[in-house]
Amino acid sequence: MSQRSIILIVSFFVLIVVGMFMYANLKKSELEQAAVIPPVIEETQEIPYADITRIDAKHYYIDGVHTLVGELAFPTPCDLLQADARVMESYPEQVVVDFTVINTADMCAQVITNQRFRVDFSAASQASISARFMGRDIELNLIPAGPEERPEDFELFIKG
């Protein structure tokens, strides 16, 4: 065999070996990338009292003081409703009524119980009033009180 044929065969053999190593390296990197990407698992966080999306309240406006009274149905008598109003300085004033539920009982009977609330705050008569329940925005349906109605006429039961 001539020297030229030997160089050609060796070069061809070297090219085949280099191609095999490149192919193996490429497949190895593809497998590593597939193993690194974890499957996407969506975590759904349970929203407490998700069924409460609207609160109905009777709205009184007497001598510059707004009074909201109403009631909500809760699954247990151990759930206590707390309501606070935040008046923000703007014109017209914006008021956010924050509703939260307090339940420190370990065990409680599953009996639907109405919890009443009363919130008083001073603001202009044209103030914008919105509500948040357990940190999320909800609809607040304000029912205007009649001219002869007073907030004291609405029974308010406070657990003690």
Side-chain angles (χ1 to χ4, degrees), residues 126-148:
Q126 57 276 53
S128 169
I129 304 171
S130 61
R132 292 178 56 84
F133 184 82
M134 299 294 288
R136 59 187 165 84
D137 293 329
I138 59 167
E139 180 183 352
L140 180 62
N141 181 30
L142 296 178
I143 303 163
E148 299 299 318

Side-chain angles (χ1 to χ4, degrees), residues 47-56 72-74 99 130-134 136-141:
I47 300 172
Y49 308 100
D51 57 329
I52 298 177
T53 57
R54 173 179 140 162
I55 294 179
D56 297 325
L72 287 173
F74 286 106
F99 292 93
S130 61
R132 292 178 56 84
F133 184 82
M134 299 294 288
R136 59 187 165 84
D137 293 329
I138 59 167
E139 180 183 352
L140 180 62
N141 181 30

Side-chain angles (χ1 to χ4, degrees), residues 55-80:
I55 294 179
D56 297 325
K58 191 153 252 199
H59 179 222
Y60 301 89
Y61 183 71
I62 302 170
D63 297 330
V65 176
H66 293 266
T67 303
L68 307 178
V69 293
E71 65 183 13
L72 287 173
F74 286 106
T76 70
C78 299
D79 294 331
L80 302 176

